Amino acid sequence: MNCNVATVWMHDYLDGELPQQDVRELKAHLLECPSCRTKFEQLDRTESLLSSAMHARGSIEPEQSERLNERIMAALPKRRRQSPWISWVRNHPAATVAALFLFVMLSSFLSMWHQGGELIVRGQDLQSVVIQGDKVIVPAGTKVHGDLTIENGIAEVQGDVDGNLTVIDGSLQLASTAHIAGSSRTIDRALDWFWYKVTETVSDIAK
């Protein structure tokens, strides 16, 4: 257990508001942590002093009582209340892990977006593909079997693509002789690219 969390739980314990399960965890931590144990003993003595002072308040002059309260309150460490979102995180660990996973994936993908600019061509059959600078050409009269993916370049299709054609951060030019058996799409926005990567990752895992 973190010592900061233990300090918050000490206050709740002394106020009688700490759940029984957390009480056991706090006691286990106090047995292992001399620093927190010392802090707890100081808090316990302060609470006892405050309680005694409140019981004896009737016999103390108003000014003396006020000064005593000020000294006691000054000796107390500031109490930290758990914010609602921390309580929600503690009560929904699975949802928290899933949200963090998606956040890390999104941050990773977005940080990779627009890095480099190097031409990348992927596909099962690239023998008929012609590359000229940043242009990827499927010549007329030729057929590319399977899916074809082109990143950071221009796709010029004159022949056949027997699968899906995906162009990422580039452009697509189709000749009148072009034929694409599957779907064709261009991805030029970070969010579209993110979902494309997620779908691709899930598909790879499924295989």
Side-chain angles (χ1 to χ4, degrees), residues 115-120 151-153:
Q115 287 186 358
E118 178 183 352
L119 176 65
I120 299 174
E151 294 187 36
N152 305 313

Side-chain angles (χ1 to χ4, degrees), residues 143-186:
K143 176 182 288 188
V144 175
H145 298 280
D147 297 339
L148 179 62
T149 302
I150 301 168
E151 294 187 36
N152 305 313
I154 301 171
E156 182 177 319
V157 181
Q158 303 170 0
D160 296 344
V161 176
D162 190 19
N164 299 321
L165 175 62
T166 304
V167 180
I168 302 173
D169 198 17
S171 61
L172 174 60
Q173 299 175 356
L174 296 176
S176 59
T177 57
H179 176 263
I180 301 175
S183 62
S184 63
R185 59 176 173 168
T186 57

